[in-house]
Amino acid sequence: MSNGQALEASLRGRLKRSSARRVLVGDRVKLEFHDDSSVTIEEIYPRTSLLKRRNPGEKRGAREVAANLDQVLTVGAVADPQWDQQLMNRFIVVAEASDLPVTVVINKIDLRSEPEKLASVFRTVGYEVLLTSATENVGIDELRHVLEGKISLFNGPTGVGKSSLLNAVQPGLRLRTAEVSARTRSGRHTTVSAEMLPLDRGGFVVDTPGLRDIGLWGIDPGDVADAFPEIARASVNCRFDNCRHVAEPDCSVLAGCEDGTIDPHRVESYQKFLAEAERASRHWE
Ligand code: GDP
Ligand code: ZN
């Protein structure tokens, strides 16, 4: 509730049967309080955003993950685990595909010098980049500021320091949890444990177990380029409207790689994800 109180509510019959609507973490709902002290969810209010991911592997279709997020923070580490730009790009694409603003966080800067080199690639694209050390308390004030008043979700590979950053932002944050119980489409009753962690300075961090590692995600081939802002920008000048930016003549994305205005590793990631998306969509047909 808006006063921060957690309460248990069940879905009203109509919503329960509706296959189109599933209550997600982050949803705003209309509650009704009954005489027998039970509480029901009467309505799910329209969502300002919807983070989706493709059903992994064999299954077709997307799975809705969280509603009303304001932003995604994609976290990587300069080392331990080894910096992997392509993996970062995957996590960023997940957010971009749902049209969510992304901030890049490069953590563990205490372990390696010159983290700015890693950051500049993303800054050139237009992303805000924070350089942090959760253990040395570097960049944590800036992180607090980015989170303030917003509903945020952290993604990124395991071990890069997402939990540590949360704890640095607000010690003990992860202890305050709320449970959301939802009925799945198949009708089985499962408890999805999702947390909206309230921040002292306003805003929430959404945490759902198993979600922080999403990233390996299928996306419609036609949407892959749009998830790379610099590629989408350059592509308006490609000779062909349907240019795939792989080997086409007069491709302004490939030209950008040549003249150094576009990072070739980002384009490499794009081409790899495009090939994956094309393989996946063939598989579904
Ligand atoms: P998560 O899987 O992304 O949530 O990562 P954790 O927060 O569990 O951190 C993984 C490991 O990295 C832990 O041993 C942390 O102590 C360590 N760690 C986290 N942040 C930093 C950092 O800024 N610098 C260093 N040197 N280690 C860190
Ligand atoms: Zn092109």
Side-chain angles (χ1 to χ4, degrees):
M1 294 214 319
S2 55
N3 63 4
Q5 189 194 328
L7 54 78
E8 205 172 303
S10 55
L11 283 171
R12 186 192 158 86
R14 185 174 56 83
L15 278 173
K16 221 190 275 185
R17 284 188 300 273
S18 150
S19 60
R21 278 280 167 124
R22 204 168 70 88
V23 181
L24 300 173
V25 63
D27 262 326
R28 294 172 170 275
V29 296
K30 181 174 172 188
L31 296 176
E32 197 167 305
F33 295 81
H34 302 278
D35 290 341
D36 64 357
S37 79
S38 67
V39 185
T40 50
I41 296 174
E42 298 292 308
E43 193 182 339
I44 303 170
Y45 290 122
R47 294 160 174 162
T48 58
S49 72
L50 183 56
L51 180 68
K52 289 195 245 181
R53 66 157 154 166
R54 186 72 65 189
N55 278 325
E58 64 302 331
K59 272 198 269 169
R60 185 170 191 159
R63 182 167 176 76
E64 298 172 343
V65 174
N68 300 317
L69 294 177
D70 293 312
Q71 59 181 352
V72 169
L73 285 84
T74 297
V75 185
V78 297
D80 190 22
Q82 192 182 13
W83 173 255
D84 182 344
Q85 200 220 77
Q86 184 166 289
L87 195 52
M88 289 296 282
N89 293 333
R90 278 187 194 279
F91 282 98
I92 291 169
V93 164
V94 172
E96 288 281 359
S98 293
D99 287 325
L100 283 163
V102 173
T103 293
V104 174
V105 181
I106 301 179
N107 190 38
K108 305 200 188 188
I109 60 167
D110 54 294
L111 295 181
R112 188 171 132 186
S113 56
E114 300 191 355
E116 287 83 7
K117 278 189 186 162
L118 307 178
S120 72
V121 169
F122 295 105
R123 291 201 170 117
T124 303
V125 174
Y127 293 117
E128 181 174 3
V129 181
L130 301 180
L131 299 173
T132 61
S133 168
T135 50
E136 307 287 313
N137 202 39
V138 179
I140 303 304
D141 262 342
E142 289 85 340
L143 180 56
R144 267 188 213 110
H145 184 69
V146 166
L147 296 173
E148 201 174 320
K150 294 194 168 150
I151 303 178
S152 310
L153 179 138
F154 284 75
N155 72 7
T158 306
V160 295
K162 297 180 295 295
S163 303
S164 307
L165 285 168
L166 271 183
N167 262 317
V169 162
Q170 194 169 312
L173 181 62
R174 305 209 55 209
L175 300 174
R176 295 204 253 149
T177 65
E179 287 231 320
V180 171
S181 184
R183 195 176 264 265
T184 60
R185 280 175 195 206
S186 62
R188 256 179 318 138
H189 196 77
T190 54
T191 300
V192 185
S193 187
E195 303 165 295
M196 274 190 82
L197 310 171
L199 298 165
D200 290 340
R201 303 213 285 187
F204 293 88
V205 173
V206 169
D207 191 18
T208 79
L211 172 67
R212 289 182 300 144
D213 294 317
I214 63 170
L216 306 169
W217 190 75
I219 167 176
D220 284 339
D223 293 337
V224 180
D226 283 337
F228 288 78
E230 76 279 41
I231 293 176
R233 277 195 300 270
S235 67
V236 299
N237 294 318
C238 293
R239 188 206 295 184
F240 301 112
D241 279 346
N242 60 353
C243 184
R244 293 165 69 250
H245 327 302
V246 175
E248 291 81 357
D250 295 329
C251 168
S252 95
V253 173
L254 299 177
C257 289
E258 289 296 314
D259 68 24
T261 54
I262 295 180
D263 180 64
H265 297 110
R266 291 261 305 163
V267 174
E268 223 172 82
S269 292
Y270 155 77
Q271 291 168 343
K272 185 155 197 293
F273 302 167
L274 177 68
E276 286 176 17
E278 287 174 342
R279 266 201 305 281
S281 72
R282 269 202 301 280
H283 178 69
W284 287 330
E285 271 155 17

